[in-house]
Each structure stands twice: as structure tokens, then as C-alpha cells.
Amino acid sequence: MISTEDAIRAVLSVSNRLPPVTLPLHSALGKILAQDIHAPDPLPPYPASIKDGYAVVASDGPGVYPVITESRAGNDAIHVTITPGTIAYVTTGGPIPNGADAVVQVEDTEIVQDGSKRLVRILIQTNKGTDIRPVGCDIQKGAMVLKSGEKIGASEIGLLATMGVMMVKVFSSPTIGVLSTGDEVVEPTTGSLGRGQIRDSNRAMLLSAAMQEQCKFVDLGIARDDEEELAKTLDDAFSSGIDILLTSGGVSMGDRDFVKPLLEKRGKIHFSKIRMKPGKPLTFAEIDVKPGKKILSFGLPGNPVSCLVCFHLFVVPAIRHLAGWSNPQLLRVQARLKQSLKTDTVRPEYHRAIIRWQVNDGSGSPGFVAESTGHQMSSRLLSMKSANALLELPATGSVIPAGTAVPAIIISDMSTSDFQKGEVPLNNDCAMPEARFQEIPVDVANWKVAVLTVSDTVASRLGPDRSGPRAISVVDSSSEKLGGARVVKQAVVPDEVSKIKDVLQRWSDVDKIDLILTLGGTGFTPRDVTPEATKEVIEKETPGLLYVMMQESLKVTPFAMLSRAAAGIRGSTLIINMPGNPNAVAECMDALLPALKHALKQIKGDKREKHPRHLPHAQATSEDTWDRSYKAASGVGDSLEGKLTSPTHLTKVNTEYHPNMTFNIYTYNGQARCMVHYVPKKVESLTLRKCCGKVSNEPAPKVASIQDEV
């Protein structure tokens, strides 16, 4: 067995580009260009107006001028010259009349009524060249517009038409022959199956897959498991003008699997087993049919899933290489697993999955998320249904946890996948949108958190939401410190006071959210209105929270002082404005964490203090600290006279005097600081107060007498 990588290299090493052909422009879509295309003319070929307006002499400046001609798309005004003190009406794309050197848009002009004369007032001072596209500003004459090897899409068709190229030289796409084998295989049109029969799914599937790759095809039907019949069918196929032969079945180790030995007689076998799952019994051969003409033959497995997986991994790169692609490999991306997956112990697996782009891929950032299509048995064609990717799983025999990023090979158009919650569908509507809401399913949490991104750009889907996912990630990672907080709602709204207020009021009054974090709209621009909307909603302000956020942000950038954030309480909900920068979100949360849990408790009516050793005022005693210390040292203990074995146990270092009491400070065993409490003529106890920086209430040895050194 060889590896998948070695097998692909072997296939591509013998796959040579097919000769180019010349096709009409409308037939070239999807093909690979086989020639360089140069511009025969400049674009635009004349100075053209960028806007509807008036062609002027820029030095004339504002004033009232007569309109002496019009220049619309075409040859209008071609023989008219604009002189100082005159202007010409021009439309977008229209040629600029001789003498004019600028265009003033209609919005900066006024029509002046003066009987039969057509007069226009120019309201602004313009500059030479304003709103004029010079000759060749888009494409210079002789410039290379398209290069050989580029794929021709809709925009390339447009460029070719612009250059006047109506017949295009492209690389040929291969012709593929598809043959099914097996005594058990019958036509799909069979109404009632006999014992041991199955309808032929592989041939229809492979023919459709070939069409998707823009290949011509030849349907070779079904061949029985008879060596002589199969040999004749293969010979007919090799003489039919195909470039690639696909057979399914007959390549395993059975006594009637004839495909591999027959291919071996007619050409060179490059490999017959691959270390992969599914698709182990894959045979690849190179058949020379005549000088300069060879056929690539793939003996695909009979199991439908194995057959199609091998088509994507090996046949598609071969098709693309023959058709002139510079990079025939399939696209690979990284995707995070939606569920844990068990890997095979021996062979790398190509796990069928559906991947989608989501605003939060589980890491707090946008990315692809992969969902398994279910049971992966190689005969179960349902596992290929809706699959748009093959996940490359290593042969470790271990479980890959959910959330792990793995390589994913894209095998079909991802736009066909159904969008689910948390995903961002494509939307070309640039009108100001309404708010977009997302419910986030979570386990039961002590504190419910909601994240509101305020941004015209994100709400219009003209850019990604980077701060929202970051805020969710920060809250999730700080959940324990916050006492079990979880984000349960997320929304995006444009920079409009009414829309911001609606969301804040609904989340506070209806959904009973404990903490709302708004992101963005706190700066100085006219559209930054988040603080205004927030102040209209909150009932109590919380300036201390804003202070600590400002302190933390100023450590990073002086521009933090430009934030106009607001924060406060509405009912039982705490609302905090944060900047829209994703990094600033994390900085602000770090600053708030020490007190945020306590703040949420207080809003709910819990008056207990945060520090675990704090005593409520009602429980505190009025006893003086010195009295308590004296009482702790007042008991007479057993004498330890004679038990101190070395005079280095206690060494006096200082003496302090207080009313009715004297304190001698000693070191104990050269390490600890000790305090001896004196009462008249006798030491009652030795109390260890501090050892290695930590407070200890453990009593020190009691002695009957004191010297400078004991």
C-alpha cells in the first residue's frame, strides 16, 4: 500500500495537458486560457466623465455659465470646443469635449431660468482633472489583460469581449468513459430486483461527477464478471477516443475481480492499494493506445462511497491537470469539529462532513465548523448526501475532541449547505438593516449575559463581527470567576438610538438578562450614539465601572480617553458600554472582573461583602486590638526552662514600650519574628506573630525568664 499523497503524485506525474483548441467566446466559460491576451486599444479610449454633470474649465470657478452643447455616450459634441466662460452637459461615461478639463457633478449646480437661454450656476471651485477618467486609465494599450493558464469566469468573458476577442484558445477538457462491472449490477430502470441484484448507482453518479468537471463522457454500460467479455469491453473503450477510463468494481481480491489483471496486460499499473479509508482497493494504470496518445485508467472500488471519495481525491486532480489547471489540487481549509470523532488505528480516514462558515467557530472567532454526516460505512451512500468536505483524520486510534481544528478538503460548493443558527448567510442588500438576533443555547447559568454589537457595517453585512465573538469568548473563559455566567443572547444593530434602545429594553424587561455588554458606537463620530441610547434606558448610573475600564485602556492607548461610554442599572440588569475594538473588549472585562460578580449580586439584593474573611458590621466586636492581643497572651503556661537547647533559639532585636505593657521583639531560630508580652516581673507567653511573611496564631514556647539571649 502507498500513501494518499504518493498516489496523487503518481497520478499527476503521468497526467499531461491536452492540446489546446479554439472555441467561440460563449463556449469558453470554465475553461483554462491557452494564450496571453493583450489590449489592442486603451480603456477608456477617450477622456470620459465619471459622473453626470457639466464639463467646465476649472480655472473659471463658481458662477453662471451658458451650456453650449451636450456630450452623451456616443459621438455627441465631438466637434465642439469648450472655451473659458462656457460649459457642456455630460453624462456618466460620455466623452469630455475639447477644451474642458474638469467635471462638476449635477449636485453642485443650479439651473438658472433666463428665457430661452440655458444657464447653469456652478456652486463650487473645482480642480483640473476632477471626475474625468483619462485615456487608458483602466487599461493601457498593449497591456497584458489575461495570462495563459488563467481560468475563464464571467469577468474574464467580459474582458475578452472588451478586447474584441471572440474566438478563444483554451486547453481541452478530457473525455471520460464510465464502466460498471459485476454480475449483481443491473440497470437503474429495473423495476423489481431479483435475489442478489442491486441497481447501478456508481455509473450514474460518476457520469454526473464528470459533467460537473465540464468533461465530455462516454457511457460504457455494465460488464459482467466474465474475463473475456470484460476484456472486449475494455478494448472497445480504449478505442473510443476517451482520455480517462473509470471502472467501478472488480478491483479487490475476489476470484472474479478481473479489472486489475486485464489492465496490467494492456499497460502499466502504478498502484493498486492505498493506505486510506474508505477506498483502499484503488487501481491506477497508464494505457498507451498509440504513439502520443495514452489513457489514464482508474479502477475504482465498487462500494458507492469509496468510489466517489476516490473520484474526488484522485480523478478530479487528474482531470484538472489534463485541462490545463496550474494548481489541480482540491481546496483545503481548517474546520473545527462540531462533535468528537473516533479515528481508525491503521488507515487515515476521509470522513464525510458538512462544513459551514459561522460567526463563532467555538474559539471565539469566525471560522469553518464541520459536522459529520453520520455513520461512515463505505457502502452507505447517505453519508455522502449534502457532504461538501472530506475531513482528513490521522490513523491514531484516538478520539479527536469537539472543537479541534482539522484539515477539510472541499469537494462541492459550500453555498448549497443550509444555514443554521449562528451562521452568516450571504446578503447583498445594502439598505440599513433591522436588528439581527441570535439565541445561544447554553446550560443553566447563575448569570445570563447578552452581547449587543452596534455597527452599521456589521448590521449591513458589509463586514464581519469581530468584537461580538471575542466578547462571548471572554465571558465564557471568565465564567467561573463571574460565578457561572453564560452568554445566552447575541444581536447586531445599526448605529441608531431607537434600535439600540429597543434591544436594551427587551433584554432588561422581558428576557431578564443580568448583564448586557454593548460593543461599539462610543466614539466621537456623528453615528456613535450608543451612550445616548443607553442613558435613556438606565435608571442608575455606575461611573466606577467606567473609571476602571478607562484606567485599563489608557495603559494601552491614549486614544482611550475619547470613549464616551455609559454604564448603569435598569431594573435588575447591569448595562455596560464597551468599545468596538475586539482587544479593548478583553481589556475592559479584565478590569471589571474583580468586582463584577459582587456587583451582579448587589443588584439582586445580596448585601454580603465580597471578601470571604470580611465580617458584616453587625457581627463585628468592639474589643480593642491590643486588649485582644493581651488576653491571648495572659494565660500562665508550663515552664520550658531547660528545654531550650541552644542560646541561638531566641535573640532580642528591639524593644517597644506601651502603657501597662512592654514588647521585646525577638528572632526565633534565626527565621521568625516573635513578640514577647511583658506583665510586671514575669513573661506569661511568647506569641509567634509572623513567620516567613504569613500570619500564624500558633503559640510560641513559654519561658519563665528572659535574657538578651536565652
Side-chain angles (χ1 to χ4, degrees):
M1 286 193 295
I2 66 172
S3 68
T4 304
E5 293 77 13
D6 288 341
I8 294 175
R9 276 194 291 268
V11 170
L12 295 180
S13 68
V14 297
S15 302
N16 299 321
R17 282 182 173 177
L18 296 175
V21 295
T22 300
L23 298 177
L25 179 60
H26 66 270
S27 300
L29 184 65
K31 303 293 185 181
I32 303 299
L33 194 62
Q35 66 179 118
D36 295 336
I37 303 295
H38 295 269
D41 308 293
L43 186 70
Y46 52 81
S49 177
I50 295 176
K51 297 177 180 178
D52 293 333
Y54 294 89
V56 302
V57 176
S59 60
D60 281 349
V64 177
Y65 300 97
V67 179
I68 64 172
T69 188
E70 292 185 352
S71 178
R72 302 178 185 271
N75 294 324
D76 291 358
I78 195 169
H79 298 300
V80 178
T81 299
I82 300 300
T83 59
T86 63
I87 62 176
Y89 177 73
V90 292
T91 60
T92 301
I96 301 299
N98 294 333
D101 58 13
V103 171
V104 176
Q105 64 180 356
V106 170
E107 292 86 343
D108 295 325
T109 66
E110 290 179 350
I111 301 294
V112 177
Q113 300 297 332
D114 187 15
S116 60
K117 281 188 177 182
R118 185 178 177 187
L119 301 176
V120 170
R121 178 176 285 108
I122 303 298
L123 302 176
I124 64 168
Q125 174 65 58
T126 189
N127 298 314
K128 188 175 181 178
T130 298
D131 287 335
I132 293 178
R133 293 166 59 212
V135 173
C137 69
D138 293 342
I139 300 174
Q140 292 287 336
K141 182 178 180 179
M144 183 181 293
V145 178
L146 294 170
K147 293 175 61 177
S148 177
E150 292 189 62
K151 188 177 180 182
I152 300 176
S155 58
E156 287 74 19
I157 292 288
L159 280 171
L160 289 167
T162 300
M163 299 301 108
V165 179
M166 300 308 295
M167 297 298 292
V168 190
K169 190 177 181 181
V170 297
F171 290 103
S172 298
S173 296
T175 300
I176 298 179
V178 180
L179 172 68
S180 290
T181 69
D183 291 337
E184 76 282 13
V185 180
V186 298
E187 291 289 347
T189 56
T190 302
S192 179
L193 295 176
R195 183 177 177 83
Q197 291 183 329
I198 58 171
R199 295 185 181 90
D200 183 7
S201 61
N202 287 354
R203 185 161 48 105
M205 180 174 66
L206 292 173
L207 289 170
S208 298
M211 291 175 64
Q212 282 186 328
E213 295 299 319
Q214 292 201 327
C215 296
K216 294 173 287 187
F217 61 85
V218 177
D219 185 350
L220 299 172
I222 302 171
R224 304 295 116 202
D225 286 328
D226 178 86
E227 187 172 6
E228 185 176 339
E229 179 185 343
L230 183 56
K232 183 179 184 306
T233 303
L234 290 177
D235 289 338
D236 291 342
F238 294 145
S239 61
S240 64
I242 62 174
D243 301 296
I244 296 175
L245 173 64
L246 305 180
T247 66
S248 63
V251 292
S252 193
M253 303 300 293
D255 59 357
R256 297 177 70 82
D257 289 331
F258 298 120
V259 172
K260 178 184 173 184
L262 288 173
L263 292 176
E264 197 166 17
K265 290 179 182 179
R266 287 159 174 77
K268 178 182 178 181
I269 301 287
H270 287 275
F271 56 81
S272 59
K273 290 181 182 178
I274 303 179
R275 192 180 301 108
M276 61 178 285
K277 179 182 180 182
K280 174 182 172 183
L282 170 64
T283 297
F284 173 64
E286 184 182 3
I287 311 297
D288 289 314
V289 292
K290 61 182 180 180
K293 172 69 175 177
K294 64 181 178 182
I295 295 173
L296 305 181
S297 181
F298 294 86
L300 303 173
N303 277 325
V305 173
S306 302
C307 179
L308 192 54
V309 167
C310 288
F311 176 87
H312 285 300
L313 293 180
F314 305 104
V315 181
V316 169
I319 291 172
R320 293 179 175 180
H321 203 271
L322 292 177
W325 288 51
S326 57
N327 179 17
Q329 299 281 11
L330 295 172
L331 175 66
R332 278 175 167 82
V333 300
Q334 290 288 312
R336 294 188 181 275
L337 298 179
K338 189 172 183 178
Q339 63 269 95
S340 300
L341 296 178
K342 178 75 165 62
T343 62
D344 191 79
T345 57
V346 178
R347 290 178 289 163
E349 183 177 356
Y350 292 87
H351 192 103
R352 280 75 72 202
I354 302 169
I355 71 169
R356 303 178 178 90
W357 182 263
Q358 297 192 351
V359 294
N360 184 355
D361 65 359
S363 67
S365 301
F368 288 109
V369 174
E371 180 179 3
S372 171
T373 57
H375 188 51
Q376 299 284 301
M377 184 179 293
S378 61
S379 61
R380 184 175 180 266
L381 195 53
L382 278 174
S383 69
M384 290 297 297
K385 177 182 176 291
S386 301
N388 58 13
L390 300 174
L391 306 181
E392 294 184 286
L393 306 182
T396 61
S398 60
V399 174
I400 303 179
T404 303
V406 299
I409 301 173
I410 307 303
I411 60 173
S412 71
D413 186 356
M414 288 183 288
S415 66
T416 59
S417 300
D418 292 333
F419 286 98
Q420 297 179 346
K421 288 182 179 180
E423 299 159 7
V424 182
L426 298 178
N427 187 341
N428 294 324
D429 184 4
C430 293
M432 190 61 67
E434 297 299 316
R436 291 189 282 125
F437 294 91
Q438 177 185 347
E439 299 289 339
I440 303 176
V442 295
D443 299 331
V444 176
N446 290 335
W447 307 112
K448 295 188 296 182
V449 182
V451 174
L452 178 64
T453 300
V454 182
S455 168
D456 289 337
T457 302
V458 177
S460 301
R461 294 187 174 94
L462 298 178
D465 180 10
R466 295 187 174 91
S467 53
R470 183 64 184 275
I472 294 173
S473 176
V474 170
V475 172
D476 288 346
S477 63
S478 307
S479 176
E480 186 175 348
K481 294 179 181 178
L482 291 172
R486 288 289 185 274
V487 177
V488 297
K489 288 184 179 294
Q490 182 186 10
V492 177
V493 295
D495 294 280
E496 296 181 14
V497 171
S498 61
K499 289 184 171 61
I500 299 171
K501 285 176 58 180
D502 287 346
V503 177
L504 295 181
Q505 289 170 342
R506 186 184 318 128
W507 281 355
S508 301
D509 304 343
V510 179
D511 298 318
K512 302 298 181 183
I513 299 297
D514 300 300
L515 172 63
I516 299 175
L517 304 178
T518 72
L519 312 174
T522 60
F524 281 18
T525 74
R527 296 288 294 175
D528 289 330
V529 294
T530 305
E532 284 69 30
T534 303
K535 289 176 182 178
E536 291 185 24
V537 169
I538 59 176
E539 299 159 350
K540 300 177 182 177
E541 293 187 4
T542 56
L545 301 180
L546 302 176
Y547 176 75
V548 296
M549 289 196 301
M550 178 68 74
Q551 278 190 317
E552 189 66 25
S553 297
L554 284 172
K555 296 176 184 177
V556 180
T557 172
F559 291 109
M561 69 179 70
L562 301 180
S563 174
R564 301 185 303 107
I569 301 166
R570 178 183 176 88
S572 59
T573 302
L574 178 59
I575 304 172
I576 304 174
N577 296 163
M578 291 186 176
N581 185 294
N583 294 328
V585 171
E587 295 160 9
C588 292
M589 282 299 294
D590 286 342
L592 296 175
L593 275 178
L596 199 52
K597 175 183 174 182
H598 182 45
L600 294 172
K601 284 185 175 181
Q602 281 200 340
I603 292 173
K604 295 294 185 182
D606 188 344
K607 297 292 289 183
R608 287 175 296 177
E609 298 289 342
K610 175 181 182 295
H611 200 282
R613 289 198 298 271
H614 180 88
L615 281 176
H617 298 297
Q619 301 175 23
T621 62
S622 58
E623 186 179 28
D624 184 76
T625 301
W626 293 108
D627 291 340
R628 187 167 63 254
S629 178
Y630 175 82
K631 290 179 180 179
S634 61
V636 178
D638 296 333
S639 173
L640 294 180
E641 187 176 7
K643 293 186 180 182
L644 297 179
T645 59
S646 168
T648 61
H649 276 65
L650 287 173
T651 302
K652 187 171 86 170
V653 294
N654 194 15
T655 301
E656 295 180 10
Y657 298 95
H658 297 272
N660 302 320
M661 193 172 295
T662 302
F663 296 87
N664 282 353
I665 311 302
Y666 288 79
T667 60
Y668 182 66
N669 281 340
Q671 297 180 8
R673 294 278 294 181
C674 306
M675 183 176 289
V676 180
H677 296 255
Y678 273 81
V679 293
K681 299 182 181 180
K682 185 170 71 171
V683 176
E684 297 294 350
S685 69
L686 183 70
T687 303
L688 185 65
R689 296 300 299 162
K690 189 175 184 182
C691 179
C692 300
K694 295 182 179 179
V695 175
S696 173
N697 292 323
E698 181 181 344
K702 296 181 180 179
V703 296
S705 62
I706 286 293
Q707 302 173 5
D708 284 351
E709 289 188 352
V710 180

